[in-house]
Amino acid sequence: MQSNIEQMRPIERWLGRLCDISASIGGTVLVSMAGMTVASVIGRTFFANPILGDVELVQLGSAVVVASFLPYTQYRRANIIVDFFTTGLSARKQEWLDGLGSLLYTLMLALICWRVAVGCIDIRATGEASMLMNFPLWIAYLLMLPGLALAVVIGLYQTLCQLRGEAGVAA
Amino acid sequence: MNTFSIGLSMFGGMLVLMALRAPIAVSMFVPGALGYLALSGWLPLLSHLKGAVYGRVSVYDLSVIPLFMLMGALAVQGGLARALFDFANALLGRFRGGMAMAGVLACAAFGSISGSTVATTATIAQVAYPQMRRIDYSGRLATAALASGGTMGVLLPPSVTLMVYAILTEQNITKMFLAAYVPALLAAIGYMLAIMVTVRIHPEQAPAAKPASLREVVSYGKQVWHIALIFGMVFGGIYGGFFTATEGAAIGALLTFLITLVTRQMSRAKLISAVRTTAQTSGMIFLIFLGADMINAALALSQLPAQLADMVGHLQLSPLLVMAGLMLFYVILGCVMDEMSMILLTVPTLFPVIMGLDFFGLGMADKSLWFGILILTVCEIGMIFPPVGLNVYIMNGLARDVPMSETYKGVIPFLITDVIRLGLLIAFPGLALWLVHLLT
Amino acid sequence: ADPVVTLKLHFHLPISSLANTLFITPWCEKIAKESNERMKCQIYPSMQLGGTPAQLYEQVRDGVADVVWALPGYTAGRFPMVEAFELPFMMQSPEATSRALWDYVDQFARAEFKDVKPLAFHVHGDGVFHTTSKQVRTSADLKGMKLRAPTRLTNKFIAMLGATPVSMPVPQVGDALAKGVIDGAVVPYEVVPSVKIQELVKYHSETDPAEPAFYTSTFIFAMNKAKYDSLPADLKKVIDHNSGVELSGQIGKAFLQADAEGKKLTTHNTTYVIPKAELDNWKKVAEPLKASWVSEMNGKGYNGQQLLNGAKALIAKHSAAIK
Ligand code: NA
Ligand code: NA
């Protein structure tokens, strides 16, 4: 993905691969969602026979898609920042601030990941399912967890690199 | 600390974090979570997060974002977006700034049906932005036109936001829509003027006018008829109510993929690249949603909007001064909220305050319609107003080669027309109301 | 003096909804008055505190809100026992059925709501078809129609009648109607003003008022348990005095009144009453649904038939008492 891929540390390459895989999984789910939706529209339009529960499948799928996409975004440092007020600072100071930003990101995602995990257990116990297909909701929660957890790992790694002043992943 | 100062501290903390380069989503989330903690305690905060995250990422209407992102990325990778824009440019390139105008109008059309300024800008920009850059639009004008354009749809029926306002204030939806047409038209005229003036003063912001011969137009047209058909079908189908935005996006994404396969312009590497772009931008947008949700819930809890409304009600100020204060308030809220959150959070409390004031002797029904148009206009201004406007971040996040300050500089002419339009609407309520009176 | 207790009251409909003006706000005013202003509500309408309408129950259980007004049916599979009341053709009078629902939960389904302090259970009035392009007269008219339905069983029933159900919470209905995403919605008249249905559709089809409603939804009005336990004895008493079977019946009655208010707004549209003869056909369609619900419940380890009979008996008992 980068031109200097040979110079990357093994762990960076490894994390990059994981983010890629996570994004690809999200992409696959997204394409399946699109396919299912189109099948439902065709069924509804031409055969008066849509897929009952297409909407809820999109809802469940969206959750998995978004969670799987989050680590890749952070890996590419594509979560937007306002650089306007800090352009005068030295590169080192900017990187240090970015390290603090990454630390807060890590804490945010860790909190979210933890709570979604708890929510997963909780909702499994209560037995909530989707309206028409009776699809257990806790599975959607569960499938969000790998993406969220990976985002935490990426955030943590970037925090360490940035605070130490080393060129981080996917700079 | 009372709830009011907690509410204000959250805002302050957010601005400080943003200024210190924390990601925008994080800058909203952290003070929001701390504020929630202070207002409600640990257990409610932890419980809130348990469900709220899934609640936000599993919204059917928002699934259009990754789907349209994918459609756009496939069109870009397969060379279709380029071909489409070459065609559009052959048609519109005879005017300097023509493509920027087309981008703004595309945003307006899509915005009125998507119901979200943020989703609109992200969707249209995905396709339009790289192409505008390729034909030598400056990053400043390209990002500004698309960020501003995204705000236009909210006034254009059948905008969901208009409907929500009508429901909250018990107005007739048809009348609400009628009241919005002229202001929406004014917005379009204003933005077209902003582009014309920008390219007149700074010709380097847009490529020189390049009139194309009919033969060129036709030859480009032959290359793009299929993708033009897809775009037409998708947007027409959504607009005509044949399918939902999500269904349209799904159809568009799959058809675009099929065309790139048939025309042999898709490869494994390009497909992977399209998925990566989709992942990167969708992840960025949804993380902001999660951050905004956190601070919005905390702001609701702090009752800041209600308390401000209360203060305003007690101050016995002149109506126009109250109005000016309100406008400022929305510009500030636009830092963290999309228009729907602003409306849901503020209208129930502010509406009675406004209804209690006299403006030009307007009757109750007229006053509510007029105020609705004003409040939606200002919500949208808030979303692009410096130093922080939600829609500007989103646009700038898609344009990674452009510094935020450039986008803001570009937005200024658009904002000027917004402010002039707002002034006109305040001074002449008839602009919003005459069509209502004419047709009902 | 003791500090004032503020109850965070969260629900999904707008502040202007009839549910709020006829039931929630009056309840708040009543507890404020009876507690000498020592207990009051802070109302958060339109899901202002975040989350989705389906998450309201979780929110009150976990203390995100102190009091919520929620629909058990929005979370399929979560409250299987109260579903008995959402089967087709169960309800005749919302007041009597709401009382019956309170008793039913008390007798059979307490376990389902053990994590909260229920203040009331109730149902809404008769479900009505509100459609944009075609009047519903017979089930043939439903063929191919995309209809919004609220709960798992109503979704199934509508599908069995030939329509395409789309499930969504009430607040999304207006948008979906305006954009043509759905051709109609089944909701009681009471919801009409809160989503402006009267301006978005042309036709309303009621069912014969002498017949049981073709569907209703159950609601719970509940308080966080810890919040209730933390109240001083006299405030607990105020809550106790404003909860239970009486409150449930009052809310049911308020919803009947709300239906009348909502219906007034639809006079410029065309209204049709689906006669008993047609409804008898529908009842036949509904029989397998009831049977499958019973066996589903048996599969979950309940006695499905006993629950269904229990619900019917309680509804009959309270209906007789009200007449
Ligand atoms: Na702003
Ligand atoms: Na940028």
Side-chain angles (χ1 to χ4, degrees), chain B residues 396 399-400 402:
Chain B
N396 197 263
R400 306 205 62 203
V402 180

Side-chain angles (χ1 to χ4, degrees), chain B residues 18-178:
Chain B
M18 277 182 187
L20 294 177
R21 299 175 65 92
I24 280 160
V26 175
S27 306
M28 296 174 181
F29 187 90
V30 172
L34 292 175
Y36 201 105
L37 188 64
L39 291 161
S40 235
W42 264 113
L43 281 178
L45 172 66
L46 294 181
S47 309
H48 168 81
L49 285 171
K50 201 168 57 174
V53 175
Y54 178 79
R56 169 50 88 181
V57 295
S58 63
V59 177
Y60 181 76
D61 289 347
L62 290 183
S63 59
V64 298
I65 293 177
L67 284 169
F68 268 125
M69 290 286 138
L70 183 65
M71 174 181 173
L74 288 169
V76 169
Q77 289 296 329
L80 296 172
R82 182 186 175 132
L84 188 64
F85 264 73
D86 284 339
F87 173 63
N89 196 33
L91 284 175
L92 298 165
R94 63 186 65 245
F95 315 103
R96 198 185 271 269
M99 287 309 296
M101 294 181 188
V104 165
L105 294 178
C107 281
F110 188 66
S112 81
I113 45 175
S114 86
S116 157
T117 297
V118 168
T120 301
T121 294
T123 301
I124 303 293
Q126 174 77 6
V127 178
Y129 177 75
Q131 303 306 323
M132 287 168 78
R133 293 291 275 152
R134 186 173 57 80
I135 57 171
D136 283 335
Y137 271 86
S138 68
R140 183 195 291 190
L141 179 58
T143 54
L146 295 168
S148 310
T151 67
M152 266 180 57
V154 78
L155 278 179
L156 200 60
S159 151
V160 192
T161 326
L162 272 173
M163 248 173 69
V164 168
Y165 174 86
I167 286 168
L168 288 175
T169 61
E170 305 184 295
Q171 295 311 302
N172 179 293
I173 292 178
T174 314
K175 286 184 181 172
M176 196 69 235
F177 283 176
L178 286 174

Side-chain angles (χ1 to χ4, degrees), chain C:
Chain C
D2 292 332
V4 174
V5 176
T6 305
L7 302 175
K8 285 177 282 182
L9 200 162
H10 202 199
F11 57 94
H12 61 302
L13 290 184
I15 194 142
S16 57
S17 59
L18 288 169
N20 180 46
T21 50
L22 292 180
F23 138 55
I24 294 173
T25 295
W27 183 83
C28 288
E29 283 165 358
K30 202 148 169 275
I31 61 157
K33 189 162 163 254
E34 290 180 19
S35 67
N36 291 319
E37 311 292 326
R38 283 179 47 229
M39 185 160 57
K40 61 184 174 70
C41 302
Q42 179 62 60
I43 290 181
Y44 299 94
S46 307
M47 297 307 298
Q48 277 184 354
L49 290 182
T52 63
Q55 291 171 344
L56 282 166
Y57 182 82
E58 249 67 43
Q59 292 186 344
V60 76
R61 186 195 64 184
D62 298 339
V64 173
D66 299 320
V67 180
V68 300
W69 178 58
L71 285 95
Y74 280 0
T75 47
R78 179 83 171 73
F79 306 101
M81 281 188 269
V82 284
E83 269 191 347
F85 280 69
E86 292 176 348
L87 284 163
F89 304 109
M90 289 292 284
M91 184 215 52
Q92 186 116 33
S93 135
E95 185 183 353
T97 310
S98 297
R99 286 168 169 274
L101 181 57
W102 176 273
D103 283 355
Y104 175 86
V105 172
D106 204 37
Q107 277 182 34
F108 301 102
R110 249 193 226 178
E112 280 183 358
F113 304 97
K114 64 177 173 4
D115 302 322
V116 300
K117 160 87 184 157
L119 303 177
F121 289 96
H122 73 97
V123 296
H124 62 52
D126 285 36
V128 175
F129 292 88
H130 310 270
T131 46
T132 50
S133 52
K134 193 168 155 198
Q135 185 101 54
V136 177
R137 293 165 188 277
T138 66
S139 58
D141 295 321
L142 291 171
K143 190 95 191 120
M145 217 182 238
K146 276 182 291 170
L147 282 183
R148 177 270 174 185
T151 62
R152 192 176 78 94
L153 293 173
T154 317
N155 271 294
K156 279 193 174 176
F157 185 46
I158 284 179
M160 291 164 90
L161 288 171
T164 301
V166 184
S167 71
M168 63 180 80
V170 164
Q172 286 171 28
V173 167
D175 179 27
L177 282 172
K179 288 182 186 160
V181 170
I182 49 175
D183 307 310
V186 288
V187 282
Y189 278 123
E190 151 258 327
V191 175
V192 162
S194 52
V195 262
K196 302 237 150 222
I197 287 176
Q198 78 278 11
E199 293 171 18
L200 299 165
V201 305
K202 290 200 193 75
Y203 306 100
H204 309 273
S205 296
E206 305 166 13
T207 52
D208 183 342
E211 291 291 297
F214 90 94
Y215 97 95
T216 189
S217 293
T218 57
F219 294 79
I220 178 174
F221 187 54
M223 187 168 178
N224 176 266
K225 240 183 166 167
K227 187 77 184 183
Y228 175 77
D229 291 337
S230 74
L231 295 177
D234 60 327
L235 292 187
K236 264 189 193 143
K237 225 169 162 184
V238 173
I239 295 291
D240 294 344
H241 186 235
N242 287 287
S243 60
V245 71
E246 285 305 319
L247 178 65
S248 302
Q250 282 164 23
I251 301 174
K253 207 170 166 186
F255 270 68
L256 200 59
Q257 188 196 340
D259 279 347
E261 297 282 325
K263 188 176 174 176
K264 278 185 205 156
L265 301 172
T266 64
T267 44
H268 60 284
N269 292 329
T270 319
T271 303
Y272 177 76
V273 179
I274 303 171
K276 179 172 186 306
E278 173 65 14
L279 293 177
D280 285 341
N281 298 329
W282 295 22
K283 283 177 195 162
K284 279 180 210 133
V285 178
E287 279 315 311
L289 182 63
K290 290 189 179 179
S292 81
W293 183 80
V294 167
S295 61
E296 221 180 306
M297 292 303 286
N298 292 342
K300 287 181 179 170
Y302 304 100
N303 185 338
Q305 196 59 50
Q306 190 192 355
L307 291 172
L308 184 56
N309 293 346
K312 281 181 178 166
L314 284 167
I315 292 172
K317 179 187 137 194
H318 283 284
S319 300
I322 279 183
K323 276 173 198 160

